[in-house]
């Protein structure tokens, strides 16, 4: 039986995904065929609405690509509708303390008796699952990722990491460096990242990190990070397009040199 993404996170597997900023199910389908472990739909920094999420969730399930969503906003009422669509979980920005992390878990876990319950959406096979089966399956597979990207959260790490229903602390290095008033990258930022990694180790919780380049994965994996979001679909497209133009223009220039 194939392990769920949540089980793989908790087992400490090396997992690599990317942010998706383009509101198109085709992008999700392509990434699934490419073999990524997961993808995060970036509703925080891209214009992606609920109806677009619906189609992207359908594509993710069709190719077996687990999808999470990241979205702005202090309230947590946006979480359950996305899980109803069939998303695997959520990544919540700017979680600063234990009460905030508990509120995220309340929005995800039926066992906490605060999330609205109906097996009628896609996640419940449109009513094909019984309520007990739906509750059990959803709570077993649903992923709660809290983002650590504020200086004030660094003094709350053990309290956050001690919550059993939280699956991962995910580091947003750009916002964390801004909050700390340090450069990105910098030794001070690296030291803060190490603090988060150590808190994860003390509490048996996975730690994830955003990296702009896959070359950074081995470096941070050796230090204890197990989950990586590497770049985005748009960054990959831009990089490939620039590389194509550089190679094409270089070949044309070489041909012109030979001709002269």
């Amino acid at each position: 039986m194939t392990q769920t993404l949540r089980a793989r996170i908790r087992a400490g597997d090396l997992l690599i995904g990317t942010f998706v900023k383009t509101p198109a199910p085709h992008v999700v389908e392509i990434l699934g065929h490419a073999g990524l472990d997961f993808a995060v739909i970036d509703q925080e920094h891209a214009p992606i609405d609920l109806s677009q999420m619906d189609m992207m969730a359908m594509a993710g399930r069709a190719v077996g690509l687990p999808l999470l969503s990241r979205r702005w906003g202090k309230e947590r009422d946006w979480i359950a509708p996305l899980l109803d669509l069939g998303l695997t979980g959520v990544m919540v920005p700017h979680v600063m303390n234990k009460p905030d992390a508990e509120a995220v878990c309340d929005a995800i876990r039926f066992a906490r008796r605060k999330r609205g319950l109906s097996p009628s959406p896609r996640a419940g096979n449109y009513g094909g699952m019984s309520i007990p089966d739906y509750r059990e399956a959803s709570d077993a597979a649903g992923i709660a990722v809290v983002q650590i990207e504020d200086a004030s959260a660094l003094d709350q790490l053990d309290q956050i990491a001690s919550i059993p229903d939280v699956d991962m602390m995910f580091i947003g290095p750009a916002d964390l460096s801004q909050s700390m008033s340090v450069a990105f990258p910098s030794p001070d930022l690296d030291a803060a990242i190490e603090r988060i990694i150590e808190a994860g180790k003390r509490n048996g919780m996975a730690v994830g990190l955003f990296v702009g380049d896959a070359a950074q994965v081995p470096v941070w994996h050796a230090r204890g990070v197990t989950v990586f979001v590497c770049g985005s679909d748009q960054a990959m497209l831009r990089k490939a397009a620039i590389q194509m133009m550089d190679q094409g223009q270089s070949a044309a220039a070489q041909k012109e040199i030979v001709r002269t």
Side-chain angles (χ1 to χ4, degrees):
M1 182 177 178
T2 303
Q3 278 192 313
T4 65
L5 179 62
R6 188 183 188 210
R8 296 182 68 196
I9 290 171
R10 288 178 169 255
D13 290 359
L14 171 61
L15 303 169
I16 300 174
T18 193
F19 282 121
V20 176
K21 297 175 179 288
T22 308
H26 313 79
V27 172
V28 173
E29 186 178 26
I30 291 167
L31 294 175
H33 286 306
L36 272 67
D37 293 308
F38 67 97
V40 183
I41 311 301
D42 192 5
Q43 293 184 283
E44 182 182 16
H45 294 297
I48 303 174
D49 64 27
L50 191 63
S51 62
Q52 292 166 328
M53 290 293 296
D54 187 25
M55 294 297 99
M56 296 169 83
M58 188 183 298
R61 287 167 75 91
V63 293
L65 179 66
L67 296 179
L68 286 74
S69 175
R70 178 176 75 167
R71 213 194 88 164
W72 50 267
K74 290 186 178 297
E75 301 303 321
R76 304 306 178 208
D77 54 2
W78 59 270
I79 293 175
L82 296 180
L83 300 179
D84 284 350
L85 293 180
L87 266 68
T88 304
V90 292
M91 175 184 288
V92 181
H94 299 289
V95 173
M96 300 187 195
N97 51 46
K98 184 174 182 178
D100 198 6
E102 294 279 13
V104 172
C105 296
D106 285 345
I108 296 173
R109 310 277 179 230
F110 286 120
R112 287 172 167 251
R113 304 186 185 282
K114 295 182 180 179
R115 176 183 167 187
L117 174 60
S118 172
S120 61
R122 179 182 295 118
N125 291 341
Y126 300 104
M129 297 178 71
S130 68
I131 285 179
D133 286 347
Y134 177 49
R135 283 173 50 119
E136 182 179 356
S138 181
D139 281 1
I143 297 169
V145 179
V146 297
Q147 282 199 254
I148 306 299
E149 47 190 353
D150 298 273
S152 62
L154 296 176
D155 293 326
Q156 307 293 320
L157 296 174
D158 284 309
Q159 290 85 348
I160 294 171
S162 68
I163 303 171
D165 281 335
V166 173
D167 298 298
M168 186 201 320
M169 294 187 295
F170 186 87
I171 303 162
D175 279 355
L176 182 57
S177 67
Q178 176 176 261
S179 179
M180 294 173 60
S181 299
V182 301
F184 173 34
S186 68
D188 288 337
L189 177 60
D190 285 355
I193 293 173
E194 292 280 5
R195 283 182 64 184
I196 300 167
I197 294 170
E198 290 305 312
K201 289 178 179 177
R202 283 194 301 273
N203 293 275
M205 178 171 290
V207 173
L209 176 67
F210 173 81
V211 294
D213 192 314
Q216 297 172 281
V217 170
V219 176
W220 285 106
H221 186 236
R223 298 184 186 184
V225 176
T226 56
V227 182
F228 294 88
V229 174
C230 185
S232 71
D233 61 321
Q234 293 177 355
M236 286 189 277
L237 177 61
R238 184 176 186 274
K239 182 177 180 180
I242 291 171
Q243 184 179 39
M244 177 185 70
M245 291 302 295
D246 287 346
Q247 290 176 345
Q249 290 171 348
S250 176
Q254 289 297 321
K255 185 176 181 179
E256 190 65 28
I257 291 171
V258 171
R259 186 178 294 173
T260 59

